[in-house]
Amino acid sequence: MKAAQITSYGAADVLRVNEVARPAPGAGEVLVSVEASSVNGHDVIVRAGELKMVSGRRFPLGAGLDFAGVVVETGADVEGYRAGDRVWGMVHPRKRHVTAGAAEYVVVPAGRISLVPAGVSSVDAASLVVTGATALLALRDSVHAVKGERVLVRGAAGGVGTAVVQLAHALGCHVTALARDRHAPVLTGLGADEVLDYGSTTSDAIGPFDVIVDTVGTELNCYRSRLAAGGRMVTVGLSASALAAIAASSVYGSRRVRTFSANPDTAVLRDLADKVTSVALRPVIDSVYPLTDIAAAHKAFERGGVVGKHVVAVSA
């Protein structure tokens, strides 16, 4: 089978599409024929070597965190899935993988997948797995956003940002999106009540907000100061400086900066499917690349300025 692999740590050109043996499912596992994957921040920082403590120094490493496709085979003790089922899911983000989601086949534990919502293509589904789960967990489990609250989404035009805008709108929150000015029409269409140009808007000129969801990972203390009394903030844009700011913010109690690593199980993916079915969340895709051009997809992700996701089409 063909699989995108990281051959060494570095820039996007270290990615190669290699011929490797097709994996076989063990007990409790499912073999999926992958039709689409996507590019996520986690994929890029693994490739760059920023998670060496987890991924180690042995190569090759599998590329691609998420996937959507069709069940080919189930291992022993798997219930609820059979060959032909259309599923979505993700590999474990804190484990080393020789092949991962950006491959013609992937083996995962059955507890890491769920059925794709009816009528949703694999390309659309792949664009929603990580971004949708991250947005859902951020709003629901991290900052506990509720109807009527004022929510600021920083980095609102990216994959996670567009999902947060939609889910916060569906909750009945007042949504302020911080993004490039040219992305305002799209974000307004997704449910943003107002869109502020991040290039000309300073943190001290906005707010206060009940909830801030940050996807950028910089200037966290500046934005944290724009929380109202009882406000909550979470960031999913992690870096060394962001981790330092998160740790330092602990002195502010409930108004600290929270973070988490999205690692959805079947229950979360089913909740996500409900959001898609109810049209509270829909895919936002910037571009689609073939598997052979996954390096170009990574480069486009790193250039930024996108609206939504870069998807990698593995098979049709």
Side-chain angles (χ1 to χ4, degrees):
M1 72 171 190
K2 292 181 173 62
Q5 295 181 306
I6 300 166
T7 57
S8 66
Y9 292 128
D13 290 332
V14 304
L15 287 163
R16 297 285 187 275
V17 177
N18 296 323
E19 286 286 344
V20 301
R22 192 177 94 171
E29 294 181 329
V30 176
L31 174 67
V32 177
S33 174
V34 178
E35 295 181 340
S37 182
S38 78
V39 181
N40 298 283
H42 179 274
D43 304 317
V44 172
I45 63 176
V46 168
R47 190 210 71 220
E50 296 179 27
L51 294 177
K52 292 177 184 176
M53 292 293 289
V54 174
S55 54
R57 296 180 179 274
R58 290 182 293 132
F59 297 96
L61 294 171
L65 190 59
D66 50 27
F67 59 87
V70 178
V71 173
V72 174
E73 183 182 350
T74 60
D77 304 321
V78 172
E79 297 180 354
Y81 300 103
R82 60 184 179 181
D85 285 342
R86 297 187 60 250
V87 297
W88 60 358
M90 62 181 280
V91 301
H92 199 294
R94 294 188 293 278
K95 291 185 178 180
R96 183 181 183 277
H97 305 279
V98 176
T99 61
E104 290 184 320
Y105 295 90
V106 66
V107 164
V108 289
R112 302 192 63 80
I113 63 172
S114 80
L115 298 176
V116 171
V120 176
S121 72
S122 288
V123 166
D124 285 347
S127 76
L128 290 169
V129 175
V130 171
T131 56
T134 301
L136 177 63
L137 293 170
L139 288 168
R140 186 187 70 187
D141 298 356
S142 184
V143 294
H144 309 289
V146 297
K147 181 178 180 179
E149 290 192 308
R150 296 182 59 84
V151 176
L152 172 68
V153 186
R154 186 169 178 239
V160 175
T162 53
V164 174
V165 168
Q166 293 180 75
L167 293 180
H169 171 73
L171 279 172
C173 300
H174 182 280
V175 182
T176 298
L178 190 60
R180 296 175 188 262
D181 189 57
R182 69 174 183 266
H183 297 154
V186 172
L187 292 168
T188 301
L190 294 175
D193 295 282
E194 58 179 340
V195 181
L196 303 178
D197 179 22
Y198 86 90
S200 59
T201 303
T202 58
S203 60
D204 59 357
I206 58 176
F209 298 98
D210 302 297
V211 167
I212 298 176
V213 180
D214 170 85
T215 73
V216 181
T218 61
E219 301 180 84
L220 297 182
N221 286 325
C222 294
Y223 282 92
R224 192 209 61 78
S225 69
R226 306 317 300 160
L227 287 173
R232 294 89 64 206
M233 178 175 175
V234 62
T235 183
V236 298
L238 295 185
S239 63
S241 61
L243 292 173
I246 292 164
S249 76
S250 63
V251 298
Y252 295 102
S254 65
R255 296 174 72 242
R256 69 189 183 280
V257 182
R258 300 162 169 83
T259 192
F260 68 97
S261 175
N263 188 17
D265 58 11
T266 296
V268 172
L269 291 169
R270 285 174 176 165
D271 289 344
L272 185 62
D274 289 342
K275 299 298 184 186
V276 176
T277 300
S278 68
V279 201
L281 179 66
R282 61 183 189 268
V284 182
I285 296 174
D286 187 276
S287 52
V288 180
Y289 294 79
L291 179 63
T292 51
D293 284 345
I294 190 171
H298 273 234
K299 291 175 182 178
F301 180 95
E302 291 177 293
R303 284 195 298 270
V306 305
V307 178
K309 293 284 289 185
H310 294 298
V311 176
V312 176
V314 179
S315 64

